[in-house]
Amino acid sequence: MSQQHLDTVFQEWQDNEARAEEMIPLLGTLYRKYNIVTSLYGRSLINQSVIRILKDHRFVKKIEGTELSVCDTLPVVRTMVALNLAPAHVDVGKLAVAFKNSGEDDVEAFLRRELADIVDGHDPEGNTGEPKDVVLYGFGRIGRLLARILVEKAGGGSLLRLRAVVVRGKGGDLEKRASLLRRDSVHGPFGGSITVDEANNTLVINGNRVRFIYADDPSEIDYTTYGIDNAIVVDNTGKWRDRDGLSQHLACNGVSKVLLTAPGKGDIKNIVFGINHKDIGDEDRIVSAASCTTNAIVPALKALNDQYGVEHGHVETVHAYTNDQNLIDNYHKGDRRGRSAALNMVLTETGAAKAVAKAVPELAGKLTGNAIRVPIPNVSMAILNLRLLEDVSADGLNDYLRVMSLNSYMQKQLDYVDSSEVASSDFVGNRHAGIVDAKATLASGKNAVLYVWYDNEFGYSCQVVRILQHMSNVHFLKFPRETQPEAEKAVS
């Protein structure tokens, strides 16, 4: 290979870096000024680095088979900034590919047609909807990740507003709580600035003032005294999971609804966003976000049942250890969970398989489930061993699930990876509910085995925030307009 060729390749890389660098402030303007949430085939472009943006462009070629460069997307982003757009979610990658495939040469005319519903719709007064107060009841693993995501999504400070966090105790520990938010052994440092205001029991997180309320019971709190009203309380403690227990939050002044980050008991609706979130009605004041495992497996199961039909199956979860387990051997009320989480694989039970029926009723009674807790701190895997109603091939299953992950209503829930070298740590921070590992898929006749990775902390927290947005009536138009893919069944 000649030196000239090497120099050319390097120059192309530098040119693409420069284009990505130019794109970053434009994406920021779209987000903070116009409330446009941009993505690239489902990958968020908000607050991303130059290298991350370039890698996401390469992802499109690997998964979609379509060459996409920042040369294609930068003109789209530049033009969008000039169109005075109303708030929306816009997949820049899909628009760029559609423009290439159209054969047109006027990107502004193309975008004015594709984004006609939001062109010149920007309201300089920022009237994008009524702001909604959010309170986190608890500040553990999920609570802190929810705080990170809510602050990240604050944009111009409207719509969802994290107003307070409720923790036990008498106070005096705010610096320690701030430190846990700043630094995370699994998810890394917080992307921003945190200032501690001890005098007012407040953390200022990227400009968002979040009050810490110390209380041992919901009955001790009147949120209106803190200027909080009509709030949604996100209970991430798991202390109460039935209607009677969670109704204690509704008895507090300033609370309108409650969202539980654990499987709900009794008649509480268990919601997997993207699958059954439309079941939430105005009358539903208490809703559950189900479990991380239920969120991980339901999208893939729903997709397979819709396309091929599921006769029966078994779900085996290989799950990272959690704070519920012991660091070293000690008493635990649950079977086997008293054994050291760091030194053992611990066989335990999971209710995720049965809980699937709450989101996909047609699968009721068709699934069994079990779980193995393993000595890693985050990222889990669900193994779906299924008997389908039709003959399938591994390639056919993978092709169908790939299309569903890119071009369906499940795009935010279902991800897809086709690499023989990935391992669990590669999925830390993945925002999808579950990720299909295509290289591991097995199929023979009507029998199929799928391996689904999931970040049981961050991916689940993203699902919780999506439900929170839905309950708060925070809805955006999505572009390009979504259509249900006509993925063909592949028969072995």
Side-chain angles (χ1 to χ4, degrees):
M1 187 176 293
S2 69
Q3 184 61 44
Q4 182 179 3
H5 178 76
L6 294 175
D7 291 343
T8 299
V9 171
F10 183 60
Q11 186 60 51
E12 288 177 354
W13 172 260
Q14 288 187 311
D15 290 344
N16 284 335
E17 279 189 312
R19 294 183 183 100
E21 286 168 352
E22 180 184 347
M23 188 182 296
I24 288 173
L26 299 176
L27 295 170
T29 297
L30 286 170
Y31 184 52
R32 279 166 242 294
K33 182 177 180 180
Y34 298 102
N35 219 338
I36 298 291
V37 180
T38 51
S39 61
L40 194 85
Y41 276 77
R43 262 66 178 167
S44 174
L45 291 173
I46 306 301
N47 294 327
Q48 299 299 330
S49 68
V50 168
I51 299 301
R52 182 73 263 171
I53 290 173
L54 294 177
K55 288 182 71 173
D56 285 345
H57 279 76
R58 286 180 57 84
F59 160 82
V60 175
K61 183 179 180 181
K62 281 188 72 174
I63 301 300
E64 180 74 353
T66 300
E67 184 76 37
L68 187 65
S69 163
V70 281
C71 297
D72 303 313
T73 52
L74 180 56
V76 171
V77 174
R78 282 182 187 146
T79 306
M80 285 172 58
V81 172
L83 292 180
N84 204 35
L85 301 173
H89 285 220
V90 179
D91 195 309
V92 173
K94 291 182 179 180
L95 284 177
V97 169
F99 177 65
K100 283 180 66 175
N101 293 338
S102 72
E104 301 178 41
D105 56 9
D106 188 338
V107 67
E108 180 176 345
F110 173 82
L111 289 176
R112 282 189 174 276
R113 183 175 68 251
E114 292 296 315
L115 305 177
D117 291 344
I118 57 173
V119 170
D120 292 325
H122 173 61
D123 181 356
E125 300 300 321
N127 184 23
T128 58
E130 287 296 322
K132 189 70 174 179
D133 290 348
V134 178
V135 174
L136 297 179
Y137 195 91
F139 205 53
R141 298 295 302 161
I142 299 301
R144 292 194 295 274
L145 289 178
L146 290 174
R148 287 187 175 202
I149 297 168
L150 288 169
V151 168
E152 170 197 298
K153 290 183 174 294
S158 60
L159 304 178
L160 293 181
R161 302 185 302 184
L162 177 57
R163 296 294 309 280
V165 175
V166 180
V167 292
R168 292 178 295 179
K170 302 298 181 184
D173 58 1
L174 204 54
E175 188 62 60
K176 281 185 173 291
R177 296 189 183 277
S179 181
L180 284 169
L181 184 59
R182 283 193 190 100
R183 306 172 183 87
D184 190 282
S185 300
V186 173
H187 300 282
F190 172 69
S193 171
I194 302 173
T195 303
V196 178
D197 180 358
E198 288 275 12
N200 295 297
N201 282 337
T202 296
L203 295 184
V204 183
I205 311 170
N206 286 2
N208 298 267
R209 294 188 65 85
V210 181
R211 177 65 182 254
F212 274 67
I213 301 170
Y214 290 87
D216 294 324
D217 191 83
S219 63
E220 301 175 17
I221 309 169
D222 181 347
Y223 292 102
T224 60
T225 62
Y226 304 99
I228 299 169
D229 195 24
N230 198 35
I232 296 182
V233 170
V234 184
D235 189 324
N236 55 94
T237 66
K239 184 176 181 180
W240 304 287
R241 292 170 54 193
D242 59 14
R243 188 169 297 278
D244 287 344
L246 294 168
S247 291
Q248 296 177 78
H249 295 301
L250 296 177
C252 300
N253 288 335
V255 176
S256 62
K257 295 179 180 179
V258 179
L259 176 59
L260 170 65
T261 64
K265 296 181 178 180
D267 63 347
I268 294 175
K269 291 180 180 178
N270 284 253
I271 301 298
V272 174
F273 189 87
I275 307 300
N276 68 331
H277 62 277
K278 293 182 180 179
D279 290 349
I280 303 174
D282 292 338
E283 72 283 358
D284 291 314
R285 300 186 66 195
I286 300 176
V287 172
S288 161
S291 72
C292 57
T293 301
T294 301
N295 274 265
I297 64 178
V298 160
L301 287 169
K302 168 69 172 170
L304 292 177
N305 190 61
D306 286 351
Q307 186 76 349
Y308 305 104
V310 174
E311 183 178 340
H312 59 76
H314 177 79
V315 178
E316 192 70 33
T317 302
V318 183
H319 200 292
Y321 57 60
T322 66
N323 275 329
D324 173 67
Q325 293 173 258
N326 291 326
L327 187 60
I328 58 174
D329 290 0
N330 206 351
Y331 173 79
H332 192 295
K333 65 180 180 180
D335 292 345
R336 308 183 199 236
R337 293 210 185 185
R339 303 302 300 277
S340 170
L343 299 175
N344 292 288
M345 292 192 296
V346 179
L347 188 63
T348 185
E349 61 183 17
T350 176
K354 291 183 179 179
V356 167
K358 295 186 177 182
V360 189
E362 53 266 38
L363 293 179
K366 294 185 177 182
L367 300 171
T368 58
N370 226 341
I372 306 168
R373 295 289 181 97
V374 295
I376 60 172
N378 185 44
V379 179
S380 302
M381 169 183 281
I383 305 167
L384 312 181
N385 194 332
L386 306 172
R387 174 77 173 177
L388 304 175
L389 296 179
E390 299 183 14
D391 287 354
V392 292
S393 67
D395 288 344
L397 282 175
N398 285 337
D399 286 345
Y400 169 64
L401 291 170
R402 179 184 61 82
V403 172
M404 291 298 289
S405 73
L406 292 171
N407 299 302
S408 82
Y409 63 93
M410 295 186 191
Q411 180 176 298
K412 293 289 186 181
Q413 286 67 53
L414 191 64
D415 200 4
Y416 180 92
V417 63
D418 187 16
S419 170
S420 57
E421 298 298 333
V422 295
S424 60
S425 61
D426 296 316
F427 303 104
V428 174
N430 190 292
R431 293 172 182 260
H432 294 78
I435 308 105
V436 174
D437 191 321
K439 291 297 187 189
T441 299
L442 302 172
S444 177
K446 293 181 172 63
N447 298 314
V449 182
L450 262 70
Y451 291 76
V452 181
W453 299 97
Y454 57 107
D455 184 326
N456 48 279
E457 293 185 331
F458 195 78
Y460 175 68
S461 296
C462 289
Q463 282 286 89
V464 172
V465 171
R466 291 172 189 133
I467 296 174
L468 185 59
Q469 290 175 317
H470 185 77
M471 293 175 68
S472 305
N473 294 314
V474 178
H475 305 300
F476 292 96
L477 294 176
K478 296 180 181 179
F479 298 92
R481 291 294 194 177
E482 294 179 350
T483 56
Q484 182 68 25
E486 292 295 331
E488 295 182 354
K489 302 178 187 178
V491 180
S492 58

